[in-house]
Amino acid sequence: MSAFKPLVFSGVQPTGNLHLGNYLGAIRKFVALQDSYDCIYCVVDMHSITAQLVHADLAEQTRSITAAYLAAGIDPKKHIVFNQSRVPQHAELAWIFNCVARIGWMNRMTQFKDKAGKDRENASLGLLAYPSLMAADILVYRATHVPVGDDQKQHLELTRDIAQKFNNDFSDRIAELGLEVEMEVGEEKVNGFFPLTEPLIEGPATRVMSLRDGSKKMSKSDPSDLSRINLTDDADAISKKIRKAKTDPAPLPSELEGLEGRPEAENLVGIYAALSDKTRQEVISEFGGQQFSVFKPALADLAVEKLAPIASEMRRILDDKAFIDGVLRDGGERAGALAQKTMKSVHEIVGLLND
Ligand code: TRP
């Protein structure tokens, strides 16, 4: 029996501008994984209409995330970069998963509860079914690994639940058709048509906090632009925001425990560690006992060195729409060919007469 080929899939929504949190929590990891895996990176435009249907600039935002992927160093020739709506098999598989998943599973999702707010009855059906489309994004390629920020962990657990229920519900058909693939789950060997996808979450600064309030996540919807470093910020803006970042009056501690109860200090140390590829302990050993008046300029220099080239490359790429659209079209064709193959088997398994 064959085994699943390791394959990475991930996606970013084209809503709002990308910031440091998206870069450190997601895109930078996407770049790093290219050397060890085949990767598919998607701009999930159909997800972005679940919270709000009408976006004046959806196409522009889709190009902008694509430009960020490329500027950060993702290679669209070796790997696949495309936007979700170009490959209709995502929506098709999501429909089947809507019939696999239970309403109760969706109702328990914390992201749904947060986004739907108090008036749940009035949320779109798409917002409720969001995780089902996300599972389809991943499983239409039978991807085995998904790099995400830790806020997406629950959605990945649901993706495994959907894969497992599909594998169980159709186990006889899958075996009859010879479509079983073997995988290891912990110590056990199980088999099925869809892999039980693993999240890739580790690494420093998966959670980057607001520069104005260390207890809140850095967010594109924060009204204060000083709270975040946008991926399009130039060197001056980056330095200014770090200079103005909220801190406390004490010097940096020399031990990690000393960061407890100091969320702003902890956040800046985490950002420094992530950008310099050091551990937080190494950063603390270097800067322990120093004032923020010393640490902040060092962090600003580091952030400018790492981020300003990405911002300028992004601006350069964004000037060439035809190039971006060409990348997405080519990626969409290659992704579509893979997705089509999976759907042919899914039709056979489910018994949808469609040849
Ligand atoms: N829900 C993810 C987010 O908001 C985006 C996403 C959609 C995604 N489909 C995906 C991430 C598939 C990983 C894999 O960040």
Side-chain angles (χ1 to χ4, degrees), residues 132-308:
S132 189
L133 179 59
M134 180 162 161
D137 295 338
I138 298 164
L139 295 176
V140 84
Y141 304 103
R142 302 211 273 170
T144 54
H145 295 83
V146 178
V148 279
D150 75 344
D151 61 324
Q152 293 299 311
K153 228 169 135 177
Q154 197 186 28
H155 286 158
L156 283 183
E157 280 159 19
L158 191 84
T159 300
R160 290 167 72 94
D161 291 343
I162 290 176
Q164 198 158 30
K165 181 158 165 36
F166 184 97
N167 289 344
N168 286 340
D169 288 355
F170 291 106
S171 59
D172 293 348
R173 288 290 295 154
I174 294 168
E176 242 170 72
L177 291 162
L179 292 170
E180 283 171 306
V181 178
E182 192 167 73
M183 59 197 131
E184 270 173 47
V185 179
E187 306 279 276
E188 248 183 291
K189 279 201 176 19
V190 297
N191 58 58
F193 178 71
F194 286 120
L196 304 181
T197 303
E198 303 275 351
L200 297 171
I201 292 182
E202 71 287 346
T206 47
R207 259 171 95 79
V208 178
M209 312 308 278
S210 158
L211 298 178
R212 307 298 305 163
D213 176 352
S215 67
K216 283 202 310 210
K217 255 181 87 168
M218 185 175 283
S219 158
K220 60 194 165 210
S221 53
D222 192 311
S224 166
D225 196 52
L226 284 176
S227 72
R228 67 187 153 259
I229 294 175
N230 301 303
L231 223 45
T232 45
D233 283 346
D234 61 17
D236 286 348
I238 296 171
S239 308
K240 178 175 139 204
K241 287 174 179 179
I242 290 176
R243 231 176 25 245
K244 296 204 166 198
K246 187 178 165 204
T247 46
D248 54 42
L252 283 168
S254 311
E255 296 301 329
L256 278 180
E257 298 82 69
L259 287 173
E260 271 167 36
R262 300 179 63 188
E264 284 82 16
E266 186 172 9
N267 187 37
L268 294 184
V269 168
I271 293 172
Y272 193 102
L275 286 173
S276 61
D277 280 315
K278 290 185 177 148
T279 63
R280 293 183 324 151
Q281 181 59 59
E282 284 169 325
V283 176
I284 288 283
S285 308
E286 190 178 337
F287 289 97
Q290 305 266 25
Q291 298 290 342
F292 281 103
S293 56
V294 174
F295 182 63
K296 278 182 168 180
L299 177 58
D301 285 350
L302 175 67
V304 167
E305 179 199 325
K306 299 284 178 181
L307 301 174

